[in-house]
Amino acid sequence: MMLRYGPDHKTEMFFSLLRWIFLAIAAIIFYIPSFRHMLSLELRAFSYLFWMGLIYMSITQVCLRWYKQKGRIFTTITYAGVLFDFVAAIWLMILTGGVTSFFFPVAYLIVMHATIYWGKRGSFISVTGIICGYVFIYFYLEQYQYDDKTFFLCLNLSFLVLLGLLGSMLVARERQHHSEKMWFQEAALHDYLSGLPNHRAFQEELQDSIYAKKPFLLIMCDLDHFKAINDQYGHVVGDDVIKHVAVVLKDCAHLAKGQAFRYGGEEFSLLMPLKCKDRLRELLKEAGSRLQNITILDHTFSVTMSFGVAIGTVNQTAQEIVKEADDLLYEAKEAGRNCMVIQNQKNYEVVGF
């Protein structure tokens, strides 16, 4: 079966806790003589289930603690939990009254568990499986006869079907709302044209870099004579230039384990670790070489960029760091463009490409 949503760590922790609670309740009922004799319970058959559950749940707990959420072992163990819950629930119902078992509400949790992971398909399969198990108990183990147990059978199965329908509807709505929320969050933090994180995302990442209390590089980047490209070739070509530059800068930032943003218009920004400062000229020069002789809509031309590089420290605010990098970018423009101006103690250094 193709898994639809995938296991969630918090959800599985919750269901794991419920398993331990039900195991403790069942152990009290079966292993305390007064309860066992009052309910006429068979201890030997329960012992097999108890030790099977204890082993499985201990393994699950280890997986939840040590294995990665998206790992194969974690996924296998957590999905096997739905099957284990089904077997354990049917087993307990057989041992504690069959159709009238007080453990029947566990079936509702199984339906919820399967529905969370597989949506409507999980709801249908889990409800069908429990109905089949329940009917099997009624017809083959209790010898069918029309009495009060028939009423319990119909009542429990009716509630089970209703829960399955309601659960699938709620999960479907929750997944739709979650998808819409993620889409809006993505749209709010990304620039549609370039595909890069936008100005808002840049400000948030800049604040995170400051809170990390580690020095970093802020690079403000601006396309040289971009207005002339728009005027000569049109805005369609200009938009494609923006896209091309975004790809180049994203690759450049990735090599330095940093991140590229579209700051606005033809201006971009890069946040990089301070340790890449020594090879920054090489990285930016490589980026500049990829902007030479680009072809867009049968037009071939070269694009150059200017860069202002500031070193962000823990004693500065976001506004101060951005202003410093912006001032250095202005110096690069004044120095003839197609160059990098980098902060160097109290002075700055102009590095041409």
Side-chain angles (χ1 to χ4, degrees):
M1 182 188 300
M2 183 176 294
L3 305 182
R4 188 169 180 181
Y5 299 128
D8 174 77
H9 191 270
K10 291 183 179 179
T11 301
E12 201 54 42
M13 286 293 289
F14 172 74
F15 280 104
S16 179
L17 176 62
L18 288 179
R19 290 191 194 104
W20 285 108
I21 292 174
F22 278 110
L23 184 66
I25 293 173
I28 291 172
I29 293 173
F30 278 87
Y31 285 118
I32 294 181
S34 57
F35 284 109
R36 186 171 69 250
H37 295 322
M38 180 177 64
L39 298 173
S40 301
L41 302 177
E42 183 182 347
L43 179 60
R44 182 178 180 183
F46 172 75
S47 296
Y48 297 132
L49 174 62
F50 177 82
W51 288 108
M52 181 184 76
L54 190 63
I55 293 171
Y56 168 78
M57 289 159 57
S58 298
I59 294 174
T60 301
Q61 207 66 39
V62 172
C63 290
L64 289 172
R65 177 65 179 84
W66 295 108
Y67 287 96
K68 294 182 179 179
Q69 181 175 339
K70 295 185 179 180
R72 180 176 298 179
I73 295 178
F74 175 85
T75 303
T76 302
I77 291 295
T78 52
Y79 279 109
V82 180
L83 178 60
F84 169 80
D85 293 343
F86 170 76
V87 172
I90 298 298
W91 197 330
L92 281 173
M93 281 190 283
I94 292 174
L95 296 177
T96 55
V99 172
T100 58
S101 171
F102 47 82
F103 277 108
F104 181 80
V106 176
Y108 300 141
L109 297 176
I110 296 172
V111 173
M112 292 173 59
H113 200 178
T115 303
I116 288 172
Y117 284 169
W118 292 295
K120 294 179 181 179
R121 180 183 299 178
S123 176
F124 174 78
I125 293 175
S126 59
V127 169
T128 302
I130 293 171
I131 288 176
C132 290
Y134 206 55
V135 171
F136 171 78
I137 294 172
Y138 183 63
F139 279 94
Y140 291 92
L141 299 183
E142 299 192 357
Q143 300 300 320
Y144 167 75
Q145 55 181 353
Y146 189 83
D147 53 17
D148 290 341
K149 290 187 177 182
T150 306
F151 171 76
F152 278 102
L153 174 74
C154 297
L155 183 65
N156 284 339
L157 295 187
S158 297
F159 275 115
L160 189 67
V161 172
L162 289 175
L163 178 68
L165 292 174
L166 178 62
S168 61
M169 290 174 58
L170 292 176
V171 169
R173 287 187 59 187
E174 187 273 334
R175 296 295 175 180
Q176 181 180 359
H177 291 164
H178 179 73
S179 298
E180 291 174 352
K181 179 181 177 181
M182 294 302 296
W183 186 89
F184 282 117
Q185 286 181 344
E186 187 74 10
L189 295 174
H190 277 76
D191 174 60
Y192 177 78
L193 179 61
S194 66
L196 292 177
N198 59 16
H199 186 275
R200 177 179 176 179
F202 164 74
Q203 293 292 345
E204 292 183 2
E205 190 66 27
L206 179 59
Q207 289 290 352
D208 290 342
S209 298
I210 295 173
Y211 291 151
K213 299 186 182 302
K214 292 182 180 180
F216 59 91
L217 296 178
L218 169 59
I219 307 168
M220 299 299 292
C221 327
D222 191 67
L223 283 167
D224 298 328
H225 306 297
F226 182 69
K227 185 177 183 300
I229 296 175
N230 278 331
D231 292 341
Q232 183 175 354
Y233 301 107
H235 287 84
V236 173
V237 173
D239 287 348
D240 282 343
V241 170
I242 293 292
K243 295 177 184 177
H244 188 83
V245 170
V247 172
V248 172
L249 292 180
K250 183 178 180 180
D251 292 344
C252 175
H254 178 73
L255 290 174
K257 297 183 179 180
Q259 193 168 3
F261 306 84
R262 188 182 183 192
Y263 194 81
E266 68 270 25
E267 196 166 0
F268 299 81
S269 58
L270 303 172
L271 286 172
M272 294 184 176
L274 182 61
K275 63 183 180 181
C276 74
K277 180 182 177 182
D278 293 338
R279 63 189 189 104
L280 187 59
R281 178 179 180 179
E282 176 186 346
L283 290 171
L284 296 182
K285 186 175 182 179
E286 173 63 24
S289 67
R290 292 178 58 182
L291 298 177
Q292 301 298 309
N293 300 319
I294 60 176
T295 300
I296 299 175
L297 297 179
D298 297 328
H299 301 293
T300 300
F301 50 88
S302 296
V303 176
T304 62
M305 297 190 72
S306 301
F307 304 91
V309 185
I311 299 176
T313 64
V314 297
N315 298 321
Q316 292 176 292
T317 65
Q319 291 79 6
E320 290 172 343
I321 298 172
V322 171
K323 184 180 185 306
E324 188 170 359
D326 217 31
D327 290 343
L328 293 171
L329 175 61
Y330 177 79
E331 296 293 340
K333 293 286 188 181
E334 289 292 303
R337 296 182 170 85
N338 191 27
C339 65
M340 170 183 71
V341 175
I342 185 169
Q343 176 184 345
N344 188 6
Q345 295 180 351
K346 293 183 179 181
N347 301 317
Y348 60 83
E349 177 184 0
V350 180
V351 181
F353 298 129

